[in-house]
């Protein structure tokens, strides 16, 4: 048995000078490396940011209950053709259904465009309004700006009209510029004309005044 | 050409109208969006300087303005009984056409002119307000009252 153990020693130590340094290096590393690992691990927990679970997510500002209570759609878009052939489109930034009438929308930031077949146009912008699909009417409130062919740019307080036929009415004072000169009137109405030349007529009523400075 | 008969008179020479602002007031103004025709109805009054034109209806006719895209009023066509008054004369007729640029006024249909004490009537009255003269044409009758 002794001859085999001498052979083993010879194999494991072929060169008598190097093994002592190598094994001392290994024994030193055996101690140092685990220590370094231990320090690193503890540092990770020591320097980590404290997380406060009770604080809510920072960017949820909107009032969640209010949002849940009334559903609101943004970028509402209503388009239709009136029975005298005018294309009517109403765009609103936000539209909220009315609690008691589901076919009625309270809208804000709305713009209306109605276009006849031969290029007649009325464009209106208002801050707030309502579209009532039930009885087919719409109303626009707030500082309204209108531009109506041929060449009228007007402001008024309120505009209301029907969705299925061309009848748009400004019941209160209207003022602005006409194709030539400036105009003010007590009220204004845009309607489709019946009869053969079915065009569209814009009627200013309630006392009209036009001031014109001739170019010479 | 047919000579212009009729009576030539001085008319409205005190009116310095060129460039004076025009104000048209009425009960109603209707604008046909398709054809663009613009008509004032319901005790219509057009005032320019010292001249006043009252009529049952006044239709505006536009022409293109100096700046592109702008429009200017070229003619006022009054109908439904027209009365034109200036500080010292008055003119009545069934219809009238007032051209702004040339300041020419033409009245038609049973025209009656009252100028101070004397009166003149006829079928048609053509006046050049800038030059300050007018001409009554067609079955002219005149009444001159001698005090």
């Amino acid at each position: 048995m002794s001859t085999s153990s001498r052979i083993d020693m010879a194999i494991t130590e072929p060169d008598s000078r190097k093994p002592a340094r190598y094994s001392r290096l290994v024994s030193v590393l055996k101690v140092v490396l685990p220590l370094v690992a231990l320090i690193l691990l503890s540092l990770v927990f020591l320097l980590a940011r404290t997380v406060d679970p009770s604080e809510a997510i920072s960017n949820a500002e909107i009032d969640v209950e209010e949002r849940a209570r009334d559903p609101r759609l943004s970028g509402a878009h209503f388009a239709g053709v009136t029975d005298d052939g005018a294309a009517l489109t109403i765009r609103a930034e936000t539209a909220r259904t009315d609690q008691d009438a589901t076919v009625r929308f309270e809208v804000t930031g709305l713009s209306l465009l109605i276009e006849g077949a031969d290029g007649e146009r009325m464009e209106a912008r208002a801050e707030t309004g309502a579209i009532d699909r039930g009885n087919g009417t719409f109303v626009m409130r707030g500082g309204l700006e209108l531009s109506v062919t041929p060449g009228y740019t007007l402001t008024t307080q309120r505009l209301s009209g029907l969705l299925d036929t061309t009848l748009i009415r400004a019941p209160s004072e209207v003022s602005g510029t006409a194709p030539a000169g400036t105009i003010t009137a007590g009220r204004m109405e845009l309607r489709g004309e019946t009869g053969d030349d079915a065009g569209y007529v814009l009627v200013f009523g309630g006392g009209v005044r036009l001031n014109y400075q001739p170019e010479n | 050409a047919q000579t212009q008969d009729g009576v030539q008179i001085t008319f409205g020479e005190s009116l310095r109208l060129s460039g004076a602002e025009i104000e048209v007031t009425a009960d109603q103004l209707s604008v046909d969006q398709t054809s663009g025709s613009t008509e004032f109805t319901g005790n219509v009054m057009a005032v320019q300087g010292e001249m006043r034109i009252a009529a049952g209806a006044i239709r505006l006719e536009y022409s293109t303005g100096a700046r592109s895209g702008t429009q200017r009023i070229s003619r006022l066509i009054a109908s439904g009984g027209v009365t034109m008054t200036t500080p010292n004369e008055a003119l009545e007729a069934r219809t009238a056409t007032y051209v702004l640029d040339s300041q020419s006024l033409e009245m038609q249909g049973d025209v009656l002119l009252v100028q101070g004490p004397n009166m003149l009537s006829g079928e048609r009255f053509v006046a050049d307000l800038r030059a300050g003269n007018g001409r009554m044409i067609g079955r002219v009758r005149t009444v001159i009252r001698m005090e």
Side-chain angles (χ1 to χ4, degrees), chain A residues 182-185 204 206-212, chain B residues 22-29 39-48 52-58 60 76:
Chain A
T182 60
I183 186 166
T184 64
F204 294 91
V208 189
R209 188 162 49 85
L210 177 82
N211 292 80
Y212 171 65
Chain B
I22 292 187
E23 177 174 277
V24 184
T25 52
D27 292 347
Q28 182 176 302
L29 162 67
E39 185 161 49
F40 290 92
T41 49
N43 46 59
V44 188
M45 171 72 77
V47 177
Q48 184 181 31
R52 304 164 71 87
I53 300 178
I58 290 187
L60 301 184
L76 271 74

Side-chain angles (χ1 to χ4, degrees), chain A residues 118 120-122 148-150 152 178-180 183 190 193 197 199-216, chain B residues 18-34 36 38 40 48 60 62 64-67 70-73 100-101:
Chain A
D118 315 333
E120 307 90 343
R121 265 169 78 91
M122 169 189 260
V148 196
T149 52
Y152 288 86
I183 186 166
L190 171 72
E193 240 174 359
D197 57 354
Y200 297 91
V201 66
L202 178 65
V203 179
F204 294 91
V208 189
R209 188 162 49 85
L210 177 82
N211 292 80
Y212 171 65
Q213 176 63 44
E215 307 157 1
N216 41 14
Chain B
S18 60
E21 192 198 53
I22 292 187
E23 177 174 277
V24 184
T25 52
D27 292 347
Q28 182 176 302
L29 162 67
S30 78
V31 179
D32 183 325
Q33 281 201 309
T34 317
T38 310
F40 290 92
Q48 184 181 31
L60 301 184
Y62 289 99
T64 51
R67 288 193 316 284
T70 60
Q71 296 220 305
R72 57 189 176 80
I73 299 178
L100 261 77
D101 302 341

Side-chain angles (χ1 to χ4, degrees), chain A residues 176-191:
Chain A
T177 57
T182 60
I183 186 166
T184 64
R187 57 179 183 276
M188 185 198 81
E189 185 176 289
L190 171 72
R191 58 175 186 267

Side-chain angles (χ1 to χ4, degrees), chain B residues 75-146:
Chain B
R75 297 190 325 158
L76 271 74
I77 293 119
S79 55
V82 184
T83 311
M84 182 268 201
T85 53
T86 63
N88 35 41
E89 61 243 319
L91 200 54
E92 234 173 45
R94 271 203 300 277
T95 63
T97 304
Y98 176 48
V99 181
L100 261 77
D101 302 341
S102 60
Q103 305 223 317
S104 76
L105 173 69
E106 184 174 341
M107 315 273 285
Q108 269 141 11
D110 305 336
V111 184
L112 176 66
L113 167 66
V114 173
Q115 206 174 36
N118 39 32
M119 282 196 330
L120 203 60
S121 69
E123 276 311 305
R124 215 156 57 87
F125 183 77
V126 179
D128 179 342
L129 300 180
R130 192 175 278 140
N133 56 43
R135 171 190 302 278
M136 184 74 84
I137 302 158
R139 295 199 342 271
V140 179
R141 282 188 308 283
T142 178
V143 171
I144 297 172
R145 203 172 299 116
M146 297 297 179

Side-chain angles (χ1 to χ4, degrees), chain A residues 71-200:
Chain A
R72 177 183 310 209
L73 40 97
S74 53
H77 176 94
F78 166 89
V81 178
T82 61
D83 52 24
D84 45 76
L88 173 70
T89 29
I90 300 180
R91 274 193 194 75
E93 272 154 27
T94 66
R96 225 160 19 96
T97 55
D98 198 334
Q99 279 74 8
D100 38 38
T102 51
V103 284
R104 191 172 184 286
F105 291 91
E106 280 294 326
V107 290
T108 62
L110 70 156
S111 67
L112 168 132
L113 171 65
I114 187 162
E115 281 168 309
D118 315 333
E120 307 90 343
R121 265 169 78 91
M122 169 189 260
E123 232 176 295
R125 264 171 303 287
E127 285 139 29
T128 62
I131 301 174
D132 189 329
R133 303 288 302 278
N135 49 30
T137 63
F138 70 89
V139 67
M140 296 168 83
R141 294 180 290 266
L144 255 122
E145 295 144 31
L146 314 172
S147 69
V148 196
T149 52
Y152 288 86
T153 313
L154 306 162
T155 57
T156 186
Q157 273 318 308
R158 192 182 144 80
L159 199 66
S160 62
L162 304 179
L163 296 173
D164 44 14
T165 59
T166 308
L167 175 60
I168 298 177
R169 198 175 279 136
S172 58
E173 208 241 340
V174 177
S175 65
T177 57
T182 60
I183 186 166
T184 64
R187 57 179 183 276
M188 185 198 81
E189 185 176 289
L190 171 72
R191 58 175 186 267
E193 240 174 359
T194 51
D196 45 11
D197 57 354
Y200 297 91

